[in-house]
Amino acid sequence: MAQRVSGRGGFGRRRFLELTGGGLAALSASELLLVARAEARTGGIGYFARFGVTEKLIADTLAVALSRGGDTADVFFQHRIANNLVLEDGAVNRAFTQVELGVGVRVVKGDQTGYGFTEDLSPAALKECARTAATIADGAARKAPTRFHVDAKLPDRYPVKTAWDAVRPAQKLPMLEDLEKRTFAGDPRVKKVTVSFGDEAGAVLIADSAGRIAEDVQPMTRTVVSCIAEQDGKREQGYYNVAARSGPEFYTKERLDRLVSEAVRRTTILFEAVPAPAGEMPVVLAAGSSGILLHEAIGHGMEADFNRKGTSIYSDKINKPIAAPFVNIVDDATVPGARGAINVDDEGNAAGTTRLVENGVLTTYLHDAISARHYGVAPTGNGRRESYQYAPMPRMRATYMLPGPHAKEEIIQSVKSGLYCDNFTNGQVRIGSGDFTFYVKNGWLIEDGKLTRPVKDINVIGNGPKVLEKVDMVSNDLVIDEGGWTCGKDGQSVPVSQGIPTVRVSSITVGGQAKKPASGKA
């Protein structure tokens, strides 16, 4: 089942409220569920009982999935309702609701995967999916479980006071209008403001051939404030965003104030920015969103599928030093309310904290069930998938470096001439080797141990593992960024979080416009 309601062309508050006052866009998730399934069948399981999901339905599906001798099999049910509003020029010019309901069936034989999915939850459709997935194997049938253990002891890392399915579109609009108004008021140079808002309410259920069932209800929200400013005939654009697995209570006064002030600051400071120097130099990574470099250039190389296939530079580095002794890196599912937090992974495995690098030594990889069997270790709870349409694979959750022994001021003062990177936006990474190019929207020159002049539009170029080796100072000011980060891999996107303390890298290639100062060494 997939439904979508959209509106385009720019319409005012009154027309928006008229359009969303009735019809699908105004329905709560609970009401949409009733539209999807008028009456829940008896004997169902938890949240998905309303869709007719029973232990018998799962058992019959797994029996077909294992009919050709697959080693393991699992069934993944998902329901998700996503609402999006975009306010621009005083009007809601885009608004849509997406409803997804479907199931995927996976069969694993060795390290090979067979997969099928459907939006039809009838017994016949699920068996057909299972038959498709089962073709990966060719042998005698394995016995499927007939009884299941439902994991009722999952952690609660993203409790909500008010579920998004109880909040009507008309209740969200005043927050967007206030953000727009205050962003314009933040600086007279701001000429255009766009406020984008999204929320999700949904759930997943995972059942496998070991007889386990896990179900998780998963909220999500994100708000972006972007603005365009003009000064002396020049135009600059910037934005700021926050995101979390949370309900409306996430939008505290402090967060809303920060949305406005940071969007305006990051935009208007660009008028003062000077060209960055080019060449090799010390680079200080600001606490927080600089974690994108850690995630992309280093974290992906620690995902076990790349190492199992021998394509990662870290494939022979387990129990070997790869960084200074004060460098510690974790991938964490437990950060309360974080966009990358999960209570259970998409294979039904416990999701906790995985310590990747301890005291500079690589200790483990990020494992799903397939790679864990290959290496003879327990899964780390990193089996994730974009939706029921995809099989899981090792993915990050919230990846960050732990605090170190230095202070931010000490780090900056240690640099004679270099660059302070404040706001990363995008980049490109070759995962196998770790070679990267990242774009820095906002930064500062460091001159004689002080932040002096803002710079913009900078490229930093290097190799992730080599940069990790060159981390020579780590501060005690860890920030896990609240931005709406989404990680792409092999055609799948999943929500993630990242963070880092203030970190000094002794040398990175900077692609700027100005010549590097003569005194460019720390």
Side-chain angles (χ1 to χ4, degrees), residues 189-191 227-231 234-236 267-268 271:
R189 293 171 291 180
V190 173
K191 303 302 180 185
C227 57
I228 296 174
E230 295 180 359
Q231 175 181 300
K234 295 181 179 180
R235 175 176 289 194
E236 296 288 357
T267 303
T268 56
F271 291 118

Side-chain angles (χ1 to χ4, degrees), residues 237-256:
Q237 184 171 1
Y239 73 94
Y240 187 72
N241 74 107
V242 294
R245 288 197 185 276
S246 183
E249 61 275 9
F250 174 69
Y251 293 104
T252 62
K253 181 180 183 303
E254 183 275 331
R255 277 196 182 86
L256 295 176

Side-chain angles (χ1 to χ4, degrees), residues 121-146:
L121 269 59
S122 68
L126 265 67
K127 288 179 180 178
E128 184 60 30
C129 267
R131 273 190 286 271
T132 298
T135 58
I136 195 70
D138 186 15
R142 292 181 182 266
K143 186 177 180 181
T146 56

Side-chain angles (χ1 to χ4, degrees), residues 19 74 185 250 310 315 377 387 450 519:
L19 288 174
D74 54 50
F250 174 69
S315 59
V377 299
S387 75
K450 297 179 181 179
S519 57

Side-chain angles (χ1 to χ4, degrees), residues 37-81:
R37 181 75 60 163
E39 294 182 0
R41 300 176 188 176
T42 59
I45 302 172
Y47 179 100
F48 285 88
R50 68 200 78 190
F51 299 114
V53 177
T54 64
E55 287 194 13
K56 184 178 186 307
L57 177 67
I58 293 171
D60 291 348
T61 302
L62 288 173
V64 176
L66 294 172
S67 62
R68 294 172 61 97
D71 296 334
T72 62
D74 54 50
V75 186
F76 181 86
F77 296 88
Q78 183 178 36
H79 179 248
R80 178 164 55 193
I81 301 167

Side-chain angles (χ1 to χ4, degrees), residues 277 281-282 415-419 446-449 516-522:
M281 66 190 69
V415 178
K416 176 68 175 176
S417 179
L419 185 68
I446 306 177
E447 298 174 298
D448 294 323
K516 176 187 171 185
S519 57
K521 294 184 178 182

